[in-house]
Amino acid sequence: MPENEPWEYTLYIPNDPRAVTVARRTLRLILTMHGLIRLVDTAELLAAELVSNAVRHTKGPAALRVRWSAGVLRIGAWDADPQPPQPPEESDPLGEEGGRGLALVKACADLWGWQPLARHGNRGKFVWCELGAA
């Protein structure tokens, strides 16, 4: 499949800490198969932070969504908690072990954000970030 054609994958995951590793490895395989190996390391880091937050701070299931379109990779994590994510700390994102997830996302992604979701009676939020191909 040519690199410029759009595609999208969704991986539904249980509320289980092992889901972070499954999400990282799945994302690595997806990007490798689509010829986007140059984005793998940063994308894996971003996906791990987003999925980790979804699993750690909620009690329900979650999902990793990966989309490629117009030279931009969008990585997002859905969870069932409609509360907005805590804003990233302005301190050094590498200085502490806990609480650095969104600061790391902010530092490594070209763009990031979140949106509340309500569909088919389910509520939650989608936290996403983007990486350009350049």
Side-chain angles (χ1 to χ4, degrees):
M1 176 177 277
E3 193 178 297
N4 57 353
E5 289 188 30
W7 47 260
E8 182 175 317
Y9 294 88
T10 302
L11 174 66
Y12 294 95
I13 53 178
N15 190 291
D16 182 330
R18 294 172 290 193
V20 177
T21 301
V22 171
R24 285 180 73 133
R25 290 181 180 170
T26 302
L27 178 61
R28 176 174 284 276
L29 180 60
I30 290 167
L31 295 178
T32 300
M33 296 304 294
H34 282 283
L36 296 169
I37 194 74
R38 66 190 176 282
L39 298 178
V40 167
D41 291 336
T42 303
E44 261 191 317
L45 174 68
L46 295 170
E49 293 298 337
L50 295 178
V51 171
S52 177
N53 283 346
V55 170
R56 183 179 304 149
H57 300 297
T58 66
K59 294 182 183 356
L64 172 68
R65 184 172 167 196
V66 184
R67 183 179 72 196
W68 173 260
S69 182
V72 175
L73 180 68
R74 178 174 274 206
I75 303 164
W78 168 83
D79 66 54
D81 184 357
Q83 295 300 314
Q86 293 296 317
E89 297 288 328
E90 293 301 323
S91 63
D92 176 17
L94 302 177
E96 295 181 25
E97 182 61 28
R100 64 183 177 150
L102 287 180
L104 199 54
V105 170
K106 182 180 175 184
C108 296
D110 296 330
L111 190 63
W112 81 277
W114 78 280
Q115 60 197 65
L117 295 178
R119 185 181 285 167
H120 308 295
N122 296 323
R123 298 178 65 203
K125 68 179 168 294
F126 184 67
V127 183
W128 55 269
C129 62
E130 293 182 347
L131 287 174

